Amino acid sequence: MAFNEPVLTKRIDPDPARRKLHWYDDYVKTGGYAALRKALEMKPEEIIKVVTDSGLRGRGGAGFSAGQKWAFIPREKKGPHYMAVNADESEPGTFKDRYLIDYDPHQLLEGIAIASIATQCDVAYIYIRGEYHRQASVLERAIRQAYENRIFGQQGILGSAYKLECYVHRGAGAYICGEETGLLESLEGKRGWPRNKPPFPAIAGAFARPTVINNVETLCCVPHIIERGPQWFRSMGTEKSPGPKLFGMSGHVNKPGVYEDELGITLDYAINKLAGGMKGGAYKGCICGGISMGVLGPDQLDIRLDFDDVRFRGGCLGLGTAGMIVMNEHTDMVKALRNCIRFYAHESCGQCTPCREGSAWMLKILDRILDGGGRAKDLELLLELEKTQGIMPGTTICGLADGTAWATRTFINKYYEEFAARCPEEPAMRTVPLTIKRGNVNVLTPMGSNTR
């Protein structure tokens, strides 16, 4: 654990009043594009090995090894290779990528250039969330500066044999397009419906060609790894989750914002040291990485915020984007879950029956509970729906159904009494015995055991 200075945010002043947008000249003066020049002296396989050895895991939610993902791209080129940069930051509670684009866009562009050399990409598309109007304009201007300074263009990256074109592609506000294959469908001009896999994007991605897909924060880590080495990167974080991480803190905290620290800090540290402590009441729960990851309960402040502890000990789907939505003691958890499910029901693409029908029925049940018509069997029904709707590795094409399920599972399991209070027992004259058993439940899943 050796995080002692900002890495990804070193050019971004902690004081909002003094922050400024760093364009090309400012970026170069502070060491920018030095890592790109170093990468040009390396072979593509050497770059991949350095990134793999660093242990860099995707910062977009899945936590998959970036170096391994790059290694899946065929080394023998039989046509163009593509890169799709996932800047479709639509996960509720997540705004870290916007922060990087707002103030240091060339850090992303340098990461794109290095990753393109490693994977022999010819064209890079930055797929940005449709609501990010200002950020799209910032990237367009930064890309123009990169072309003017021979980073992109047919003359080759800084005059080398590697040629790269780069474009901004704006989404239309669909959450589902943050899923990598839905993103590719949208990029190709089609409806943003996720694809069945295989084939995987590394073999047949954009325009049926090999495609590497990385998140903004992931690519921003790459120049620092190339410049300072994999062991430096591994000196931060944990053994299986190394490196720095951006934590987006929102909700009932005194200082909401984006904070950089290392992976493996505790939830208590994130709330009290980074975000200035609780606001308006004591801690009750925290959505740890976007609502699709689930919620951490009132007794889980000691959970380490890395890719493993949140999943196995915290009972969530994972760390996700580390977009932390903190809730105080006055939060109505039934309403909180209803808001999550309403979002999923609205954003489901409708392609898969379990997701389309399951999320809609969950919303109807939760609406009924909040309207005062809750019944004891409603909780049994919700827990049955979440088990059949999204059990990893999945009953649907993409993970949206799984996100719906994990939100439902963790909210009900960890705040069961609050939900049960809204769902009274059936009248005494009922002839059919209730099957619901109130008390502790241990839900065994492929992602680990989730207990109340």
Side-chain angles (χ1 to χ4, degrees):
M1 306 286 263
F3 183 85
N4 51 30
E5 63 180 2
V7 177
L8 300 172
T9 59
K10 67 179 184 179
R11 296 180 183 86
I12 305 175
D13 199 299
D15 182 357
R18 294 201 302 263
R19 286 177 194 157
K20 69 172 185 175
L21 206 164
H22 293 267
W23 296 113
Y24 180 85
D25 290 339
D26 290 334
Y27 186 69
V28 171
K29 287 177 183 176
T30 53
Y33 290 113
L36 176 58
R37 295 181 185 276
K38 184 177 179 180
L40 287 170
E41 299 174 356
M42 304 166 67
K43 296 179 180 179
E45 56 268 26
E46 292 174 341
I47 298 174
I48 292 175
K49 185 177 187 306
V50 168
V51 174
T52 303
D53 290 346
S54 74
L56 173 63
R57 297 173 67 171
R59 269 44 174 170
F64 190 79
S65 167
Q68 287 186 36
K69 182 181 282 191
W70 294 2
F72 293 153
I73 302 293
R75 292 189 181 183
E76 183 182 352
K77 282 196 72 173
K78 296 182 180 179
H81 290 183
Y82 295 102
M83 168 170 286
V85 181
N86 192 342
D88 190 66
E89 195 173 36
S90 301
E91 182 69 31
T94 306
F95 43 88
K96 61 183 178 59
D97 293 344
R98 182 184 69 184
Y99 188 70
L100 293 172
I101 294 169
D102 267 337
Y103 299 106
D104 201 4
H106 280 279
Q107 183 177 215
L108 170 61
L109 300 187
E110 185 175 14
I112 290 171
I114 295 171
S116 296
I117 294 170
T119 54
Q120 304 180 72
C121 285
D122 303 278
V123 183
Y125 296 99
I126 304 175
Y127 188 100
I128 191 167
R129 179 179 177 177
E131 292 89 342
Y132 280 4
H133 305 290
R134 178 182 181 276
Q135 290 72 27
S137 298
V138 167
L139 283 173
E140 291 279 10
R141 180 175 172 183
I143 289 171
R144 287 196 300 270
Q145 292 176 341
Y147 270 98
E148 292 167 0
N149 289 277
R150 303 183 306 128
I151 306 299
F152 303 136
Q154 288 304 299
Q155 82 289 332
I157 298 175
L158 296 176
S160 70
Y162 300 101
K163 298 177 181 179
L164 178 65
E165 302 291 343
C166 185
Y167 305 98
V168 173
H169 185 100
R170 299 186 65 179
Y175 170 76
I176 198 67
C177 289
E179 193 276 336
E180 61 179 19
T181 59
L183 183 154
L184 294 177
E185 288 286 292
S186 176
L187 184 63
E188 293 175 358
K190 294 179 283 187
R191 187 172 185 172
W193 274 12
R195 303 172 180 174
N196 275 311
K197 294 181 283 190
F200 291 92
I203 304 301
F207 314 107
R209 301 300 309 162
T211 305
V212 60
I213 305 171
N214 282 128
N215 164 264
V216 169
E217 185 186 353
T218 310
L219 290 169
C220 286
C221 290
V222 172
H224 304 284
I225 294 170
I226 296 300
E227 184 177 5
R228 304 176 72 171
Q231 293 308 313
W232 162 81
F233 194 78
R234 281 192 170 275
S235 71
M236 295 172 281
T238 66
E239 181 182 356
K240 295 183 178 179
S241 299
K245 183 75 186 76
L246 298 185
F247 298 91
M249 306 296 297
S250 62
H252 300 138
V253 291
N254 287 313
K255 294 167 52 184
V258 176
Y259 299 93
E260 184 178 4
D261 212 295
E262 60 188 339
L263 283 163
I265 63 172
T266 64
L267 176 59
D268 180 74
Y269 181 92
I271 292 172
N272 291 302
K273 299 297 183 182
L274 300 183
M278 293 298 301
K279 181 179 181 180
Y283 167 81
K284 185 175 184 179
C286 176
I287 292 171
C288 59
I291 61 175
S292 59
M293 295 298 108
V295 64
L296 291 170
D299 58 345
Q300 295 184 314
L301 280 167
D302 64 330
I303 291 293
R304 295 195 310 274
L305 300 177
D306 61 26
F307 292 108
D308 299 309
D309 206 41
V310 169
R311 179 173 56 165
F312 292 112
R313 199 160 62 93
C316 291
L317 188 54
L319 178 63
T321 61
M324 323 291 286
I325 305 175
V326 183
M327 294 168 279
N328 67 22
E329 59 189 327
H330 305 297
T331 304
D332 186 328
M333 289 304 188
V334 183
K335 288 183 178 179
L337 177 59
R338 193 272 305 270
N339 286 345
C340 294
I341 301 306
R342 180 170 57 188
F343 173 81
Y344 287 122
H346 178 268
E347 292 296 338
S348 173
C349 76
Q351 191 175 184
C352 304
T353 303
C355 179
R356 180 186 67 244
E357 300 298 326
S359 60
W361 276 107
M362 281 183 178
L363 178 59
K364 290 177 182 178
I365 293 169
L366 287 164
D367 279 341
R368 183 172 68 235
I369 291 172
L370 284 169
D371 287 340
R375 302 163 297 182
K377 63 183 180 182
D378 285 340
L379 297 186
E380 183 182 41
L381 184 55
L382 284 169
L383 290 172
E384 178 63 25
L385 279 170
E386 63 86 4
K387 290 185 186 71
T388 55
Q389 179 175 341
I391 300 298
M392 296 294 282
T395 57
T396 52
I397 293 173
C398 84
L400 191 145
D402 298 291
T404 313
W406 281 86
T408 303
R409 173 181 306 168
T410 55
F411 266 95
I412 294 178
N413 282 344
K414 295 177 182 181
Y415 302 94
Y416 188 81
E417 297 307 323
E418 191 168 335
F419 281 83
R422 300 283 189 100
C423 301
E425 298 286 357
E426 298 293 331
M429 71 281 297
R430 180 183 173 92
T431 57
V432 180
L434 288 170
T435 58
I436 190 167
K437 180 181 178 181
R438 296 186 184 274
N440 288 341
V441 173
N442 183 27
V443 182
L444 293 174
T445 74
M447 298 298 289
S449 177
N450 183 12
T451 61
R452 273 204 318 279

